[in-house]
PDB file of all heavy atoms in Angstrom:
ATOM      1  N   PHE A 656       9.918  14.044   4.781  1.00 81.00           N
ATOM      2  CA  PHE A 656      10.778  15.240   4.650  1.00 81.00           C
ATOM      3  C   PHE A 656      11.306  15.479   3.254  1.00 81.00           C
ATOM      4  O   PHE A 656      11.175  16.676   2.775  1.00 81.00           O
ATOM      5  CB  PHE A 656      11.938  15.101   5.574  1.00 81.00           C
ATOM      6  CG  PHE A 656      11.686  15.414   6.927  1.00 81.00           C
ATOM      7  CD1 PHE A 656      11.740  14.392   8.061  1.00 81.00           C
ATOM      8  CD2 PHE A 656      11.334  16.696   7.335  1.00 81.00           C
ATOM      9  CE1 PHE A 656      11.439  14.662   9.325  1.00 81.00           C
ATOM     10  CE2 PHE A 656      11.098  16.965   8.659  1.00 81.00           C
ATOM     11  CZ  PHE A 656      11.146  15.924   9.738  1.00 81.00           C
ATOM     12  N   PHE A 657      11.730  14.419   2.496  1.00 82.00           N
ATOM     13  CA  PHE A 657      12.261  14.691   1.200  1.00 82.00           C
ATOM     14  C   PHE A 657      11.268  14.969   0.189  1.00 82.00           C
ATOM     15  O   PHE A 657      11.511  15.481  -0.873  1.00 82.00           O
ATOM     16  CB  PHE A 657      13.109  13.431   0.790  1.00 82.00           C
ATOM     17  CG  PHE A 657      14.414  13.189   1.693  1.00 82.00           C
ATOM     18  CD1 PHE A 657      14.895  12.066   2.012  1.00 82.00           C
ATOM     19  CD2 PHE A 657      15.015  14.344   2.206  1.00 82.00           C
ATOM     20  CE1 PHE A 657      15.960  11.785   2.806  1.00 82.00           C
ATOM     21  CE2 PHE A 657      16.162  14.230   2.898  1.00 82.00           C
ATOM     22  CZ  PHE A 657      16.714  12.899   3.313  1.00 82.00           C
ATOM     23  N   SER A 658      10.014  14.498   0.397  1.00 85.00           N
ATOM     24  CA  SER A 658       8.952  14.866  -0.431  1.00 85.00           C
ATOM     25  C   SER A 658       8.657  16.417  -0.475  1.00 85.00           C
ATOM     26  O   SER A 658       8.399  16.974  -1.513  1.00 85.00           O
ATOM     27  CB  SER A 658       7.675  14.187  -0.091  1.00 85.00           C
ATOM     28  OG  SER A 658       7.166  14.580   1.136  1.00 85.00           O
ATOM     29  N   VAL A 659       8.794  17.041   0.691  1.00 86.00           N
ATOM     30  CA  VAL A 659       8.601  18.435   0.718  1.00 86.00           C
ATOM     31  C   VAL A 659       9.842  19.131  -0.046  1.00 86.00           C
ATOM     32  O   VAL A 659       9.688  20.023  -0.698  1.00 86.00           O
ATOM     33  CB  VAL A 659       8.645  18.916   2.263  1.00 86.00           C
ATOM     34  CG1 VAL A 659       8.756  20.412   2.285  1.00 86.00           C
ATOM     35  CG2 VAL A 659       7.542  18.403   2.931  1.00 86.00           C
ATOM     36  N   TYR A 660      11.035  18.541   0.159  1.00 83.00           N
ATOM     37  CA  TYR A 660      12.281  19.112  -0.507  1.00 83.00           C
ATOM     38  C   TYR A 660      12.078  18.862  -2.085  1.00 83.00           C
ATOM     39  O   TYR A 660      12.496  19.824  -2.770  1.00 83.00           O
ATOM     40  CB  TYR A 660      13.482  18.261  -0.030  1.00 83.00           C
ATOM     41  CG  TYR A 660      14.834  18.893  -0.320  1.00 83.00           C
ATOM     42  CD1 TYR A 660      15.447  19.830   0.508  1.00 83.00           C
ATOM     43  CD2 TYR A 660      15.359  18.677  -1.555  1.00 83.00           C
ATOM     44  CE1 TYR A 660      16.556  20.412   0.262  1.00 83.00           C
ATOM     45  CE2 TYR A 660      16.635  19.225  -1.851  1.00 83.00           C
ATOM     46  CZ  TYR A 660      17.216  20.123  -0.923  1.00 83.00           C
ATOM     47  OH  TYR A 660      18.419  20.703  -1.328  1.00 83.00           O
ATOM     48  N   ASN A 661      11.593  17.768  -2.473  1.00 85.00           N
ATOM     49  CA  ASN A 661      11.438  17.507  -3.903  1.00 85.00           C
ATOM     50  C   ASN A 661      10.374  18.490  -4.505  1.00 85.00           C
ATOM     51  O   ASN A 661      10.583  19.103  -5.520  1.00 85.00           O
ATOM     52  CB  ASN A 661      10.929  16.061  -4.080  1.00 85.00           C
ATOM     53  CG  ASN A 661      11.249  15.517  -5.418  1.00 85.00           C
ATOM     54  OD1 ASN A 661      12.026  16.131  -6.150  1.00 85.00           O
ATOM     55  ND2 ASN A 661      10.848  14.411  -5.754  1.00 85.00           N
ATOM     56  N   MET A 662       9.284  18.775  -3.675  1.00 89.00           N
ATOM     57  CA  MET A 662       8.339  19.762  -4.258  1.00 89.00           C
ATOM     58  C   MET A 662       8.835  21.095  -4.246  1.00 89.00           C
ATOM     59  O   MET A 662       8.635  21.831  -5.199  1.00 89.00           O
ATOM     60  CB  MET A 662       7.174  19.677  -3.314  1.00 89.00           C
ATOM     61  CG  MET A 662       5.859  20.401  -3.770  1.00 89.00           C
ATOM     62  SD  MET A 662       5.266  19.398  -5.127  1.00 89.00           S
ATOM     63  CE  MET A 662       4.358  20.731  -5.948  1.00 89.00           C
ATOM     64  N   CYS A 663       9.771  21.465  -3.311  1.00 88.00           N
ATOM     65  CA  CYS A 663      10.502  22.664  -3.342  1.00 88.00           C
ATOM     66  C   CYS A 663      11.290  22.880  -4.574  1.00 88.00           C
ATOM     67  O   CYS A 663      11.267  23.942  -5.287  1.00 88.00           O
ATOM     68  CB  CYS A 663      11.178  22.878  -2.109  1.00 88.00           C
ATOM     69  SG  CYS A 663      11.989  24.507  -1.920  1.00 88.00           S
ATOM     70  N   VAL A 664      12.099  21.833  -4.901  1.00 86.00           N
ATOM     71  CA  VAL A 664      12.941  21.910  -6.099  1.00 86.00           C
ATOM     72  C   VAL A 664      12.175  22.015  -7.334  1.00 86.00           C
ATOM     73  O   VAL A 664      12.447  22.852  -8.187  1.00 86.00           O
ATOM     74  CB  VAL A 664      13.847  20.689  -6.116  1.00 86.00           C
ATOM     75  CG1 VAL A 664      14.649  20.569  -7.539  1.00 86.00           C
ATOM     76  CG2 VAL A 664      14.811  20.609  -5.064  1.00 86.00           C
ATOM     77  N   ASP A 665      11.099  21.232  -7.556  1.00 87.00           N
ATOM     78  CA  ASP A 665      10.169  21.327  -8.691  1.00 87.00           C
ATOM     79  C   ASP A 665       9.600  22.738  -8.861  1.00 87.00           C
ATOM     80  O   ASP A 665       9.585  23.250  -9.934  1.00 87.00           O
ATOM     81  CB  ASP A 665       9.098  20.328  -8.632  1.00 87.00           C
ATOM     82  CG  ASP A 665       9.603  18.813  -8.764  1.00 87.00           C
ATOM     83  OD1 ASP A 665      10.718  18.757  -9.207  1.00 87.00           O
ATOM     84  OD2 ASP A 665       8.837  17.942  -8.467  1.00 87.00           O
ATOM     85  N   THR A 666       9.184  23.329  -7.664  1.00 89.00           N
ATOM     86  CA  THR A 666       8.467  24.652  -7.787  1.00 89.00           C
ATOM     87  C   THR A 666       9.565  25.732  -8.176  1.00 89.00           C
ATOM     88  O   THR A 666       9.360  26.514  -9.037  1.00 89.00           O
ATOM     89  CB  THR A 666       7.956  24.955  -6.488  1.00 89.00           C
ATOM     90  OG1 THR A 666       6.994  24.049  -6.065  1.00 89.00           O
ATOM     91  CG2 THR A 666       7.251  26.350  -6.469  1.00 89.00           C
ATOM     92  N   LEU A 667      10.696  25.688  -7.549  1.00 86.00           N
ATOM     93  CA  LEU A 667      11.745  26.630  -7.844  1.00 86.00           C
ATOM     94  C   LEU A 667      12.192  26.498  -9.338  1.00 86.00           C
ATOM     95  O   LEU A 667      12.564  27.457  -9.981  1.00 86.00           O
ATOM     96  CB  LEU A 667      12.965  26.504  -6.851  1.00 86.00           C
ATOM     97  CG  LEU A 667      12.677  26.771  -5.437  1.00 86.00           C
ATOM     98  CD1 LEU A 667      13.969  26.630  -4.640  1.00 86.00           C
ATOM     99  CD2 LEU A 667      12.032  28.196  -5.307  1.00 86.00           C
ATOM    100  N   PHE A 668      12.266  25.265  -9.836  1.00 84.00           N
ATOM    101  CA  PHE A 668      12.707  24.947 -11.218  1.00 84.00           C
ATOM    102  C   PHE A 668      11.718  25.650 -12.142  1.00 84.00           C
ATOM    103  O   PHE A 668      12.137  26.354 -13.149  1.00 84.00           O
ATOM    104  CB  PHE A 668      12.776  23.559 -11.473  1.00 84.00           C
ATOM    105  CG  PHE A 668      13.288  23.062 -12.801  1.00 84.00           C
ATOM    106  CD1 PHE A 668      14.495  23.568 -13.209  1.00 84.00           C
ATOM    107  CD2 PHE A 668      12.548  22.342 -13.560  1.00 84.00           C
ATOM    108  CE1 PHE A 668      14.922  23.308 -14.509  1.00 84.00           C
ATOM    109  CE2 PHE A 668      12.971  22.041 -14.839  1.00 84.00           C
ATOM    110  CZ  PHE A 668      14.210  22.482 -15.281  1.00 84.00           C
ATOM    111  N   LEU A 669      10.429  25.490 -11.974  1.00 87.00           N
ATOM    112  CA  LEU A 669       9.408  26.152 -12.926  1.00 87.00           C
ATOM    113  C   LEU A 669       9.557  27.643 -12.826  1.00 87.00           C
ATOM    114  O   LEU A 669       9.390  28.375 -13.845  1.00 87.00           O
ATOM    115  CB  LEU A 669       8.050  25.561 -12.613  1.00 87.00           C
ATOM    116  CG  LEU A 669       7.576  24.266 -13.039  1.00 87.00           C
ATOM    117  CD1 LEU A 669       6.164  23.932 -12.713  1.00 87.00           C
ATOM    118  CD2 LEU A 669       7.806  24.153 -14.577  1.00 87.00           C
ATOM    119  N   CYS A 670       9.695  28.087 -11.586  1.00 86.00           N
ATOM    120  CA  CYS A 670       9.767  29.578 -11.453  1.00 86.00           C
ATOM    121  C   CYS A 670      11.119  30.059 -12.139  1.00 86.00           C
ATOM    122  O   CYS A 670      11.129  31.272 -12.769  1.00 86.00           O
ATOM    123  CB  CYS A 670       9.865  29.960  -9.943  1.00 86.00           C
ATOM    124  SG  CYS A 670       8.291  29.586  -9.011  1.00 86.00           S
TER     125      CYS A 670
END
Side-chain angles (χ1 to χ4, degrees):
F656 280 111
F657 294 145
S658 66
V659 174
Y660 195 93
N661 206 5
M662 194 69 206
C663 184
V664 172
D665 289 347
T666 303
L667 295 182
F668 182 57
L669 281 181
C670 293

